[in-house]
Amino acid sequence: MGLHPLEFSESYLDSPAFREKIKAHEAELDKTGRFIKELYKDGKNLINATKQLSLAQKKFAQCLGEFKFEYIGDAKTDDEKCIGEFLFLFFAYLHLCTCIHLNITETLMKPLEQFRKEHLGSAKTARKTYEKETEKYYSSLEKLLNMSAKKKEPQLQEADMSVQVTRQQFQESSLEYVCKLQEIQERKKFECVEPMLAFFQTVFTFYHQGYELAKDFDHYKKALQINIQNTRSRFEGTRSEVFELLNRIKESPQEYRQTSPISSEGYLYVQEKRPPPFGSSWVKRYCTFVKEQKILHMKTFDQRSGGKLGETESVTIKSCVRKTTDTLDRRFCLDIEITDRYVGHVTVLTVQALSEDDHRFWMHAMGGKESVCQSLTPYLNSITKHVFIFTGINDQGLYRVVGVSSKVQKLLKLMIDEKSSEIDLATSEDWDVKTITSALKLYLSATPESRVQAIHCLVHKMPERNRLVLSLVTKHLANVAANSKQNLMTVANLGVVFGPTLMRPQEETVAAIMDLKFQNIVVEILIEQHEKVRLLINTLWHLLFRRICTATASWMNSASPASITPVKPGSAGTEKNKPEENVTHKKAKAVYPCEAEHDSELSFQVGAIFHDVTISREPGWLEGVLEGKRGLIPENYVEIL
C-alpha cells in the first residue's frame, strides 16, 4: 500500500486519520528533499575529487539504487514500475564505468536543485501557512465556544461571523495544501528522473567505454522515454480533474462533507467534570457515531499539540436532547444519556458542537429531541463473526516449494472459470498445499496475455448493442493510432483521452481520479487488441445468421426431407425427433452427423449418446456432455431417450 490519496472532503472534517495521511505525504517530500541534497553533494564529489572518483561513483550509484518512489493508491502502473526499476538499472550500469570526468552540473545537479528549491520549497511554505491557519482557526473557535451566551445578540452574531471567516480561510488553506502535496508527489516521478536520463545519455555519448554501454542500454532508454511520457500525460489529465473537483468543493463544501448511512463523524467538545472545587473542563474529541448500534467512539486529538492521539472511549447512547443556555452558559450543547460507563447506571454526558449547523447535524444523526427524551428500543449487541481457517501454515517452504505443473494448471483454470465458487479446496484430495500456493502465485502474476484474456471476458459479458458500439469505437481508434506519425495520437495518448470518457467512476474523489491511469491502460489494451474484440462481434453476426437459418429450416426440410440434413439450429422434423419442452438432465441420441462451427459446439456422428442434456438459452439448441466435454447440440439433430 502506497500513500493514501488526500480527499478534499476530509479537509472539512480535519480528522486524526486525515492528519496522519498529511504527515505521510510530508515525510515523503522531506525524504525527496534529503535525497536531492545528497545527490547534489555526491555529484560535486564526482567533479572535484578525481583521486577518489571511484568511491564517489559507487556512493552515487548506491544512492540511486536504494531510492524508491512511493505511489498514491493501491497499485502501480507498468510505467511507474519501469521508472522505479530504471533507477536500479542506473545503479548497475554505473558500476560498469571505471571513471567519470564529466561536468554534470548542467545536466543533473541544477535541474534537481531547482526542483528541490522551487517545488519542495513551495511545499514547505504551504505547510507553514497551513499550520498557521490551523492555529488561528482552532484558537478563535475555542474563544467563541467559551463566550458567554448571555452577551447581547449583536456581539454573538459578530463573533459567529468572525469565526466563520476564519473557518473558511482555514478550509481553503487545507484544500490548497492537500492539492499541493499530491501534485508534487506525482510531478517528481518525471521531473526528478528526466535529469538522470539526460545525465546518463551524456555519459554514454562522451565516454569511449560508454559507446558499448549505450548500445546495450538503448532499449531501456527508449522504453523509459515512453514511460516518462505516459506518466506525464496521465499527470496532466489527473491534475486537471483534481483542480475541477477542488473548485466544485470550494463552491459547495457542505455537499462534500463525509457522511454515510452507517456512521457520522466530526469534532465535539466533551464536558469532563472534576471533583470540587475544580469544576469541569471541556476536552475536544473526534467522535464517530455508529447509527445502527448507537455507539459513540470518542478519541482525544488536538492538531496544535503535535497531533498526538489519545485513547479511544466507546459509549452506548440511550437518548439525546438539546441543552438550553438556561442551564449551561454555552451554546450548541447536547445532553447524551449513556449506559456504558457504569454498569446498571445511566450517566448524562454533555457535549458541545462547533456551530449551529454542526449542532443540527449531530441532533439529526443521534435522533436528538427538543423535549425530554424517551427511551429507545434496545439494540442487539451480537456481531456475526466470519472465521477463516488456513491450513498448511506451518508447512516448510510454504510458497517456495512448487506443485505439480499439470495440477496447478488445472486448478488455475477452475479458479478463472465463473463457477470457481463451487470449488472446495479444503475437502478435495486433489488440491494439496503446494498446488494451491503455486496456483495463487501464478494467478497473481498478471501477464499481458492474462490481462487481454480478462478484458476479453469482461467485454463478452456486455450487452450485445454495447459490444457492437465498442467494436466500432476501438476499430476507429486503432486506425487513428496507426497514423500516429502524422496526428501524434499514439495508443497511450488515446488512452489518456478516452479513459475518463469510457470508464468514468461512480464517485468523484481524489482516489478515483488517481485510478484514471488504470482506466487509461484498459482502454489502451482495448485499442491494441481490437481484432479480438471484433472476433466477438463476428460471433454475434454468426449467431444471427444461424437464427435466420432456423426460420428457413422448416421450408428446406419439407422440400426434400429424404435428401437434406436439418439446418442447425432448427425445430423441423417428425414428432418423434422433436425433444420434449421440459428436457432436463436426460440422455439424447444423435440421428444426424454434425461438424462443430464454433468452440462452444460439439462434433458428433450418428448414434452418439449425450448425457446430462438440458435446454440452452440459445433458441433451437440443447446443451449436453459427450466424451467428457460439454457443449451446444442442435436440437433437431437428436432424439431424447
Side-chain angles (χ1 to χ4, degrees):
M1 181 64 184
L3 295 173
H4 290 282
L6 299 174
E7 300 295 349
F8 293 133
S9 56
E10 290 182 315
S11 297
Y12 294 94
L13 284 177
D14 201 22
S15 67
F18 175 64
R19 289 287 178 150
E20 289 298 319
K21 292 179 186 178
I22 286 182
K23 283 187 177 181
H25 279 261
E26 291 172 345
E28 172 61 15
L29 293 184
D30 291 339
K31 184 174 70 173
T32 302
R34 292 193 298 270
F35 161 72
I36 293 177
K37 287 182 178 180
E38 187 70 17
L39 197 63
Y40 190 87
K41 176 182 176 182
D42 295 337
K44 288 231 172 187
N45 290 336
L46 289 176
I47 299 172
N48 301 322
T50 55
K51 292 183 179 181
Q52 299 179 353
L53 187 57
S54 177
L55 181 62
Q57 177 184 354
K58 182 178 180 180
K59 185 179 179 182
F60 181 69
Q62 185 176 1
C63 183
L64 289 175
E66 293 178 352
F67 181 75
K68 296 180 180 179
F69 286 116
E70 288 293 347
Y71 57 94
I72 298 177
D74 296 329
K76 294 181 182 179
T77 64
D78 290 341
D79 295 315
E80 291 170 338
K81 291 178 182 178
C82 291
I83 289 175
E85 294 170 357
F86 192 74
L87 294 179
F88 181 78
L89 288 174
F90 278 157
F91 165 74
Y93 275 96
L94 191 58
H95 272 280
L96 298 177
C97 300
T98 56
C99 60
I100 296 179
H101 305 287
L102 290 179
N103 186 339
I104 62 174
T105 302
E106 296 295 328
T107 58
L108 180 61
M109 297 308 162
K110 283 187 177 180
L112 290 180
E113 187 67 3
Q114 182 180 357
F115 177 83
R116 185 183 69 84
K117 291 181 178 180
E118 180 179 347
H119 295 290
L120 299 184
S122 65
K124 290 183 177 180
T125 303
R127 181 177 180 177
K128 292 179 180 179
T129 303
Y130 177 62
E131 291 173 349
K132 180 180 178 181
E133 291 295 331
T134 297
E135 176 67 28
K136 181 180 178 181
Y137 167 61
Y138 284 103
S139 296
S140 62
L141 180 62
E142 288 192 356
K143 184 178 178 181
L144 172 69
L145 297 177
N146 286 319
M147 180 181 292
S148 172
K150 297 180 180 179
K151 289 184 176 293
K152 295 181 179 180
E153 187 62 24
Q155 291 179 310
L156 295 176
Q157 292 180 358
E158 182 179 359
D160 288 344
M161 289 297 297
S162 177
V163 171
Q164 178 64 26
V165 172
T166 306
R167 181 187 295 113
Q168 184 177 357
Q169 292 175 349
F170 162 72
Q171 290 172 345
E172 290 186 358
S173 174
S174 179
L175 290 171
E176 292 171 359
Y177 184 49
V178 163
C179 188
K180 171 68 72 175
L181 285 177
Q182 296 189 124
E183 177 183 351
I184 296 176
Q185 295 284 18
E186 293 294 302
R187 185 184 292 275
K188 70 180 183 182
K189 294 177 185 176
F190 51 87
E191 291 204 1
C192 287
V193 180
E194 278 183 327
M196 300 176 191
L197 179 62
F199 162 66
F200 277 90
Q201 182 62 37
T202 305
V203 171
F204 295 143
T205 303
F206 289 94
Y207 289 103
H208 173 74
Q209 172 181 13
Y211 175 74
E212 295 297 329
L213 291 175
K215 290 195 298 183
D216 296 336
F217 194 75
D218 189 59
H219 65 286
Y220 293 111
K221 182 194 70 174
K222 292 179 179 178
L224 181 62
Q225 288 173 335
I226 296 174
N227 296 140
I228 292 175
Q229 181 58 41
N230 291 343
T231 305
R232 183 188 293 274
S233 300
R234 290 171 185 143
F235 165 78
E236 295 296 339
T238 302
R239 185 169 180 263
S240 61
E241 292 281 343
V242 168
F243 274 106
E244 288 181 8
L245 179 59
L246 172 64
N247 293 330
R248 287 197 298 270
I249 290 181
K250 281 185 176 181
E251 292 175 359
S252 54
Q254 291 300 327
E255 295 182 6
Y256 288 86
R257 176 165 183 170
Q258 287 189 334
T259 59
S260 72
I262 301 174
S263 63
S264 300
E265 52 186 312
Y267 282 101
L268 288 172
Y269 279 78
V270 181
Q271 185 184 36
E272 294 191 353
K273 297 180 180 180
R274 299 179 181 178
F278 299 104
S280 61
S281 62
W282 293 82
V283 180
K284 183 176 68 174
R285 292 189 172 186
Y286 191 78
C287 301
T288 302
F289 178 62
V290 183
K291 299 178 181 179
E292 182 178 357
Q293 300 173 351
K294 295 290 184 179
I295 296 177
L296 182 65
H297 303 285
M298 300 180 292
K299 182 180 296 185
T300 304
F301 182 77
D302 191 347
Q303 288 86 349
R304 298 173 300 173
S305 60
K308 294 183 179 180
L309 286 172
E311 295 183 358
T312 300
E313 181 182 1
S314 300
V315 297
T316 301
I317 294 181
K318 185 178 180 182
S319 63
C320 172
V321 66
R322 178 191 295 271
K323 193 173 185 67
T324 62
T325 55
D326 297 337
T327 57
L328 182 67
D329 191 17
R330 278 187 175 240
R331 296 188 296 163
F332 321 136
C333 290
L334 296 166
D335 274 345
I336 302 173
E337 283 191 353
I338 59 176
T339 58
D340 281 14
R341 285 193 168 182
Y342 306 101
V343 177
H345 181 69
V346 176
T347 305
V348 177
L349 186 67
T350 301
V351 299
Q352 183 182 24
L354 305 184
S355 64
E356 185 63 36
D357 290 338
D358 199 44
H359 184 268
R360 285 194 295 268
F361 169 78
W362 285 110
M363 282 279 290
H364 175 74
M366 297 183 184
K369 306 292 183 182
E370 296 291 340
S371 58
V372 177
C373 59
Q374 301 176 351
S375 298
L376 297 175
T377 304
Y379 284 81
L380 297 176
N381 294 324
S382 60
I383 301 177
T384 304
K385 297 182 179 179
H386 299 278
V387 180
F388 299 92
I389 301 176
F390 297 91
T391 59
I393 198 68
N394 296 320
D395 286 14
Q396 293 186 359
L398 185 65
Y399 286 107
R400 177 177 58 82
V401 180
V402 298
V404 179
S405 177
S406 59
K407 289 186 176 181
V408 172
Q409 292 294 336
K410 182 179 179 181
L411 177 58
L412 185 62
K413 184 178 179 181
L414 291 174
M415 291 170 63
I416 296 175
D417 188 74
E418 293 182 358
K419 299 181 180 180
S420 59
S421 58
E422 301 176 1
I423 303 175
D424 191 350
L425 299 178
T427 58
S428 177
E429 297 180 356
D430 295 335
W431 315 124
D432 56 276
V433 175
K434 292 184 293 185
T435 301
I436 295 173
T437 54
S438 299
L440 176 61
K441 290 190 294 183
L442 190 59
Y443 179 78
L444 295 177
S445 60
T447 61
E449 292 78 12
S450 64
R451 291 180 179 180
V452 174
Q453 183 180 4
I455 294 177
H456 183 89
C457 294
L458 292 174
V459 170
H460 186 67
K461 296 179 181 179
M462 294 173 61
E464 183 173 335
R465 293 182 178 180
N466 297 64
R467 276 184 285 182
L468 290 170
V469 173
L470 181 62
S471 175
L472 296 174
V473 172
T474 53
K475 181 181 178 181
H476 166 67
L477 295 180
N479 188 33
V480 174
N483 295 275
S484 59
K485 290 184 178 180
Q486 290 78 28
N487 57 35
L488 302 180
M489 291 302 293
T490 62
V491 173
N493 291 340
L494 292 172
V496 172
V497 174
F498 284 90
T501 303
L502 299 178
M503 303 184 67
R504 180 163 293 277
Q506 294 180 350
E507 296 181 350
E508 290 186 306
T509 62
V510 175
I513 293 174
M514 291 302 173
D515 284 340
L516 285 177
K517 50 193 176 185
F518 298 106
Q519 300 170 7
N520 302 345
I521 292 172
V522 172
V523 174
E524 291 176 21
I525 295 175
L526 285 172
I527 297 173
E528 290 177 338
Q529 305 295 332
H530 72 285
E531 290 294 340
K532 291 189 176 181
V533 178
R534 289 182 63 192
L535 288 178
L536 288 173
I537 307 305
N538 291 339
T539 302
L540 291 174
W541 286 115
H542 186 56
L543 292 175
L544 181 60
F545 175 74
R546 287 178 177 173
R547 292 179 180 177
I548 296 174
C549 293
T550 300
T552 59
S554 178
W555 174 83
M556 293 178 66
N557 285 322
S558 62
S560 181
S563 60
I564 300 178
T565 301
V567 177
K568 54 174 184 175
S571 58
T574 65
E575 289 296 322
K576 179 181 178 181
N577 295 341
K578 185 175 181 180
E580 298 175 14
E581 292 298 326
N582 59 348
V583 173
T584 174
H585 302 292
K586 292 188 176 183
K587 293 183 179 181
K589 180 180 179 181
V591 294
Y592 299 103
C594 177
E595 186 69 25
E597 300 176 5
H598 191 266
D599 292 340
S600 61
E601 300 178 16
L602 294 177
S603 297
F604 52 86
Q605 298 298 324
V606 176
I609 302 298
F610 304 93
H611 299 273
D612 193 17
V613 177
T614 60
I615 296 178
S616 173
R617 290 179 296 179
E618 185 67 28
W621 292 81
L622 303 175
E623 290 185 14
V625 178
L626 178 64
E627 298 179 353
K629 180 181 178 181
R630 188 169 186 85
L632 294 174
I633 311 164
E635 66 177 12
N636 59 330
Y637 276 58
V638 300
E639 63 179 2
I640 302 300
L641 300 179

